[in-house]
Amino acid sequence: MKVTLTPEALKELDAFFADKEKEPIRIYIQYACSGAYLAIALDPVDSRDFTAEVNGYTFCMNQDLYGNTGDITISKEEGGFDVQCEKPLPKPAVSPCASCGGGCGTTH
């Protein structure tokens, strides 16, 4: 598994972990009304994960998901991180819009 951190993303991670122990960072797929996207969260490594060590950080991702996404690039954007992959993200079998109950384009 290959994960690339932009200098800005590395700086943000270094600042976050400056006064705490580094934990594994999971890359996972999230579905929303706008479609699928990748996100990151602190989470232990699982036996079904690929891992990558990057600048002292451990990134993990489910092997099946990695097979669908390929290599990952993490950058820092206003308000958080942007996680991009080399392959198009898989589409969900069921529309994620049904999960909110409001329908696309409606105000809740």
Side-chain angles (χ1 to χ4, degrees):
M1 180 169 115
K2 181 180 177 191
V3 175
T4 302
L5 285 174
T6 64
E8 296 81 11
L10 177 60
K11 183 177 178 181
E12 186 75 11
L13 286 175
D14 286 344
F16 179 79
F17 286 106
D19 60 349
K20 54 181 101 57
E21 187 175 334
K22 291 179 182 176
E23 297 179 49
I25 301 168
R26 176 164 304 280
I27 301 165
Y28 65 99
I29 195 165
Q30 184 81 25
Y31 295 101
C33 289
S34 60
Y37 63 95
L38 292 176
I40 58 174
L42 301 179
D43 193 43
V45 175
D46 185 274
S47 63
R48 299 173 306 245
D49 290 335
F50 281 134
T51 61
E53 298 292 326
V54 181
N55 296 93
Y57 295 96
T58 300
F59 291 89
C60 59
M61 178 187 258
N62 179 278
Q63 293 175 16
D64 293 336
L65 178 58
Y66 181 71
N68 288 318
T69 63
D71 295 339
I72 302 295
T73 300
I74 301 172
S75 59
K76 174 68 175 97
E77 301 292 328
E78 188 173 325
F81 291 96
D82 182 45
V83 185
Q84 296 295 316
C85 55
E86 70 176 320
K87 298 178 184 177
L89 289 173
K91 298 191 188 302
V94 176
S95 171
C97 286
S99 64
C100 73
C104 292
T106 63
T107 304
H108 301 279

